[in-house]
Amino acid sequence: GHRHGAADCASSRGSWAAVGADVDDRVDPGSGAIERWYQLQFFAAAVSGGLLLLHLVYVIALLVMPPEWGAALFGDSWQGAALVLLPMCISACFSCVANGPAGVLYGLGWARETFRINLFKGPLILVVLLGATWLWGVIGSAWAFAAIEAIILPFWIATVIRASQHPRHPEAILQT
């Protein structure tokens, strides 16, 4: 990109400060990058919120349906499914909320950080899942999945916030 004078740089920093970013003078304040970042934040929230809403409708339907409907839908597996339904639904809700930030991070070229989050999640799955399964069986396993997603969600949110505060390639915001 082209370089700006001191006044333009200060103007650029002031504009980005409105969204909490610390950006150098590579950002052209008239480029639309700031507006695009707001659009990406909205996109992340819309994806997460939409998925969560759809999932909650499904979860509520499953949780309130009469047992005979569950048996008709799931057959012989309904007894076992009913035991783990709530923790598995909670786990999926956390996962739905993480999808928006993850999508924005991939779009902004922060795949390395998403990989790191998943590298952290791998051992966490082994320790928490195996430990809970050992101690409490299938119900412990289901609650472990919910706990793992709950533990990981703040990392997705913190990383997308960090991406907004320290964009590596501000021009990528415009290309996403």
Side-chain angles (χ1 to χ4, degrees), residues 46-57:
V47 167
S48 293
L51 288 172
L52 182 60
L53 180 64
L54 290 172
H55 185 72
L56 286 174
V57 168

Side-chain angles (χ1 to χ4, degrees), residues 5-89:
D8 290 333
C9 182
S11 171
S12 173
R13 289 182 191 275
S15 298
W16 277 90
V19 293
D22 180 16
V23 178
D24 67 19
D25 61 348
R26 293 177 294 158
V27 177
D28 180 357
S31 68
I34 296 165
E35 292 79 14
R36 185 66 178 141
W37 177 249
Y38 279 123
Q39 290 172 350
L40 291 172
Q41 287 177 322
F42 176 79
F43 174 76
V47 167
S48 293
L51 288 172
L52 182 60
L53 180 64
L54 290 172
H55 185 72
L56 286 174
V57 168
Y58 174 72
V59 166
I60 291 168
L62 284 178
L63 293 175
V64 300
M65 85 170 129
E68 52 277 353
W69 290 14
L73 186 62
F74 291 99
D76 292 338
S77 65
W78 175 244
Q79 291 292 357
L83 294 174
V84 296
L85 191 58
L86 181 61
M88 294 308 293
C89 291

Side-chain angles (χ1 to χ4, degrees), residues 37 40-49 51 94-118 121 149 152-163 176:
W37 177 249
L40 291 172
Q41 287 177 322
F42 176 79
F43 174 76
V47 167
S48 293
L51 288 172
F94 284 122
S95 181
C96 285
V97 174
N99 280 323
V104 168
L105 289 168
Y106 285 122
L108 290 176
W110 281 60
R112 182 173 299 198
E113 282 71 16
T114 65
F115 181 71
R116 287 181 183 146
I117 292 170
N118 285 310
K121 188 176 181 180
E149 292 299 330
I152 292 298
L153 180 58
F155 290 94
W156 287 112
I157 294 169
T159 304
V160 81
I161 289 170
R162 193 172 73 238
T176 302

